[in-house]
Amino acid sequence: MSEDRVTEKAPAVGSRGGLTALLTCAMAFSMLQLFLLGALGPRLVDDLDISATVLGLTTTIGFGTAAVLSPSSGRIVDRVGPRRALATLLLVSAVALGLIGAAPGAGILLAAVAVGGLPQALANPATNKAILATVPPAGRGSVTGMKQSGVQLGAFAAGLPLAALAAWAGWRGAVWTAAGAAVVAALWALRVLPPDPPAKGTAARTSLVPRGAIAWLAGFSLLLGCGIASVNTYLALFGVRELGMGPTAAGALVAVLGVAGIAGRVGWSKAATPDRAEWLPSRLAAGAVLAALLLAGALLVHQLAWVAAVAVGVFAVSGNAVSMVLVMQRAAPGRAGQDSALVAAGFFAGFAVGPPIFGLLAEAGRYGLGWLLVAAEFAAAGIVAYAWARRERRKSTVPA
């Protein structure tokens, strides 16, 4: 039997709650460095004397690296197992955060976020593999939603407690604190997770080109990622430069987005039952379009920025969690890591492409046009998701 189809074992960490907490932390640390760069962006721009365009380039490099590494990382996770992969993820995250905290300028900063691409690439295949190996099918939606909400937990941590710590200890102190916490999490993973099976000598020869449902989900994720990455990277800077907020209040916008994303990912993942999951991505994308339009409207009514941050979390951010539920529902035996990585590669590619384009508009002070571009990206994601859902429904109704 494929290890991806083991369904009746109890999680070896002692309880499903313990497994869920560990996977949630792993997802949070996999992207924490980029959320910190967004939340602390106003401080970094001033202290390191970098432009808004360079700030967007950090996201491009981080996610560009993750997109390139993701297909290979899926094979690696399928070969070595989730325990080794999760420990590596957390330790490399600590290294990336430590380098960011030590960066004297743009060069080391960009190198650090490139290092941070590896944990991003490992995160979804490793955590999905762990869920498929230990959680019965009925519980996978809720566990997936919780662990995917770890990404937004990272956004919350960057936007509120770590941003507040930066006001007291400086932005470098806040980043180094996060690096230390990642090391602690790595030790936790090594202590509580069961040993992986012996690593296979060679990876199975599987296609690195997504096909069928995985290809559609990768395309949806790419377009969704373009918009989400622009919001994550520039929301705090938008608050400072266009809405007159202080750095701490602007960081709180990111925290609000993070909390809303946690609730949205958990709720929508539970709702993604096999009979209706395929329709959720298009509906969430429609809500994301409205959220982007609210951000544009915040230029006229500043308070709309808070409503928009909630809406981005509930709709746009939740779309990726639902995609991962769909991957686990449709992954071929033995390919959970690989298929998760291919969909994640599309998402990461969107994160690499979106911010540089938005950054050009931000540098020119044209945030309104930038948010309309984000709305168009979300709308395109919705069209792809709707077309796929209709295709799947037609296939299911064709007589055998």
Side-chain angles (χ1 to χ4, degrees):
M1 180 186 294
S2 165
E3 67 186 273
D4 292 344
R5 290 293 179 261
V6 176
T7 60
E8 300 304 330
K9 289 183 180 179
V13 290
S15 71
R16 188 180 300 177
L19 173 69
T20 303
L22 177 60
L23 299 183
T24 301
C25 284
M27 294 298 295
F29 280 110
S30 73
M31 285 179 54
L32 182 59
Q33 67 270 16
L34 293 176
F35 285 123
L36 276 171
L37 290 174
L40 303 178
R43 290 184 169 91
L44 268 70
V45 166
D46 293 337
D47 190 45
L48 299 183
D49 193 26
I50 60 176
S51 67
T53 302
V54 170
L55 184 64
L57 191 59
T58 62
T59 300
T60 299
I61 290 177
F63 281 99
T65 303
V68 170
L69 294 178
S70 282
S72 297
S73 73
R75 284 182 172 176
I76 290 169
V77 172
D78 282 334
R79 187 168 76 249
V80 306
R83 180 177 184 266
R84 297 184 186 99
L86 286 169
T88 300
L89 179 164
L90 291 161
L91 289 172
V92 177
S93 293
V95 171
L97 288 164
L99 287 173
I100 290 172
I108 299 299
L109 185 68
L110 296 178
V113 296
V115 171
L118 177 58
Q120 293 169 238
L122 290 171
N124 282 301
T127 54
N128 287 357
K129 189 90 170 176
I131 290 171
L132 284 170
T134 58
V135 180
R140 288 175 185 168
S142 60
V143 175
T144 301
M146 283 301 301
K147 71 96 174 174
Q148 290 295 130
S149 75
V151 175
Q152 301 317 120
L153 180 63
F156 173 79
L160 198 59
L162 289 172
L165 179 61
W168 173 69
W171 69 267
R172 295 183 191 275
V175 174
W176 284 329
T177 298
V183 173
V184 172
L187 296 175
W188 178 26
L190 289 171
R191 180 177 177 81
V192 304
L193 287 175
D196 293 311
K200 301 173 186 177
T202 58
R205 290 187 176 274
T206 53
S207 174
L208 294 180
V209 178
R211 302 180 188 281
I214 302 303
W216 284 93
L217 290 171
F220 165 75
S221 297
L222 186 152
L223 293 163
L224 188 74
C226 284
I228 294 174
S230 297
V231 178
N232 286 345
T233 305
Y234 288 102
L235 183 59
L237 201 61
F238 172 65
V240 170
R241 292 190 171 178
E242 301 295 325
L243 307 184
M245 295 180 173
T248 301
L253 266 181
V254 179
V256 166
L257 188 157
V259 172
I262 292 171
R265 286 188 164 195
V266 172
W268 289 116
S269 293
K270 286 182 178 179
T273 54
D275 59 326
R276 60 179 175 178
E278 63 197 20
W279 292 105
L280 287 181
S282 60
R283 294 170 182 172
L284 293 174
V289 172
L290 175 61
L293 295 176
L294 287 172
L295 281 171
L299 287 166
L300 300 176
V301 181
H302 293 180
Q303 289 79 4
L304 285 177
W306 299 97
V307 180
V310 172
V312 170
V314 169
F315 296 109
V317 169
S318 301
N320 181 244
V322 172
S323 293
M324 287 300 153
V325 173
L326 283 161
V327 169
M328 284 188 284
Q329 289 173 355
R330 294 164 183 269
R335 278 189 56 98
Q338 184 70 41
D339 287 349
S340 298
L342 291 172
V343 173
F347 193 58
F348 295 150
F351 267 65
V353 171
I357 299 173
F358 193 102
L360 295 175
L361 297 171
E363 198 70 23
R366 305 184 71 179
Y367 278 92
L369 186 58
W371 299 131
L372 292 178
L373 172 63
V374 169
E377 291 162 349
F378 289 150
I383 291 170
V384 170
Y386 182 74
W388 172 69
R390 283 182 58 86
R391 175 178 176 271
E392 292 294 296
R393 184 53 57 92
R394 285 197 300 269
K395 284 170 55 179
S396 67
T397 55
V398 173

